[in-house]
């Protein structure tokens, strides 16, 4: 089932990746969690025909290719758009521009990282549990 496929996390900041690794370890999901520090590397991975991840969790502000730009590419390339991968933003940004841009790009979730580990872990848990429960409702692929 799609809900057991890989979770892709695109985060250029090493400290933020370490926090997310700890969160996913604490939560104990059976999914393979793949971390990318570079969104271009993640894009090349996603383009492989056999790759159909469960979900993409991406930071916004990254060198080379930001999270919004990556989402736009996924929406524009038919072969990628057809993979029906939920796209979630994680960021410290809470500005009006970021929220509007996320809405324009049909981002399926926007999580503020914040400074409280337990709240951040709870947000990630709620997000993953939501998509595990509802993935077949929103996706044509089962």
């Amino acid at each position: 089932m799609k809900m057991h496929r890989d979770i892709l996390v695109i985060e250029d900041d090493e400290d933020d990746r370490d926090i997310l690794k700890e969160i996913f370890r604490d939560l104990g999901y059976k999914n393979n969690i793949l971390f990318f520090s570079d969104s271009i590397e993640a894009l090349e991975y996603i383009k492989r025909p056999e790759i159909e991840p469960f979900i993409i969790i991406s930071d916004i502000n990254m060198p080379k290719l930001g999270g919004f730009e990556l989402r736009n590419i996924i929406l524009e390339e038919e072969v990628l758009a057809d993979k029906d991968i939920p796209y979630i933003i994680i960021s410290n940004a809470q500005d009006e521009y970021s929220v509007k841009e996320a809405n324009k790009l049909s981002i399926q979730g926007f999580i503020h990282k914040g400074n409280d580990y337990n709240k951040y872990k709870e947000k990630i848990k709620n997000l993953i549990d939501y998509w595990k429960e509802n993935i077949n409702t929103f996706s044509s692929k089962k």
Side-chain angles (χ1 to χ4, degrees), residues 37-49:
S37 60
D38 182 309
S39 51
I40 293 176
E41 179 184 324
L43 178 61
E44 292 306 314
Y45 179 79
I46 298 164
K47 284 183 175 182
R48 293 173 33 197

Side-chain angles (χ1 to χ4, degrees), residues 15-120:
D15 291 336
D16 286 343
R17 278 194 313 274
D18 288 343
I19 290 168
L20 284 164
K21 286 176 185 176
E22 186 175 331
I23 285 172
F24 279 109
R25 189 171 38 251
D26 287 352
L27 293 174
Y29 292 111
K30 295 186 185 337
N31 304 70
N32 187 27
I33 316 296
L34 300 175
F35 287 87
F36 295 89
S37 60
D38 182 309
S39 51
I40 293 176
E41 179 184 324
L43 178 61
E44 292 306 314
Y45 179 79
I46 298 164
K47 284 183 175 182
R48 293 173 33 197
E50 72 276 13
I51 301 301
E52 291 192 31
F54 166 59
I55 198 167
I56 296 172
I57 300 172
S58 176
D59 191 11
I60 296 174
N61 299 313
M62 295 181 285
K64 299 180 189 174
L65 185 67
F68 290 143
E69 291 84 8
L70 175 59
R71 175 61 174 167
N72 197 44
I73 290 169
I74 290 170
L75 289 173
E76 288 180 350
E77 291 191 25
E78 187 174 344
V79 72
L80 296 177
D82 285 347
K83 291 187 178 193
D84 292 328
I85 309 165
Y87 196 94
I88 310 303
I89 290 291
I90 54 172
S91 180
N92 279 318
Q94 288 187 300
D95 58 284
E96 187 176 340
Y97 168 79
S98 296
V99 173
K100 284 184 178 184
E101 194 65 21
N103 288 332
K104 282 196 282 186
L105 294 170
S106 300
I107 303 291
Q108 287 93 0
F110 194 111
I111 293 177
H112 182 254
K113 295 176 186 177
N115 295 320
D116 184 313
Y117 176 84
N118 289 322
K119 285 183 183 179
Y120 192 24

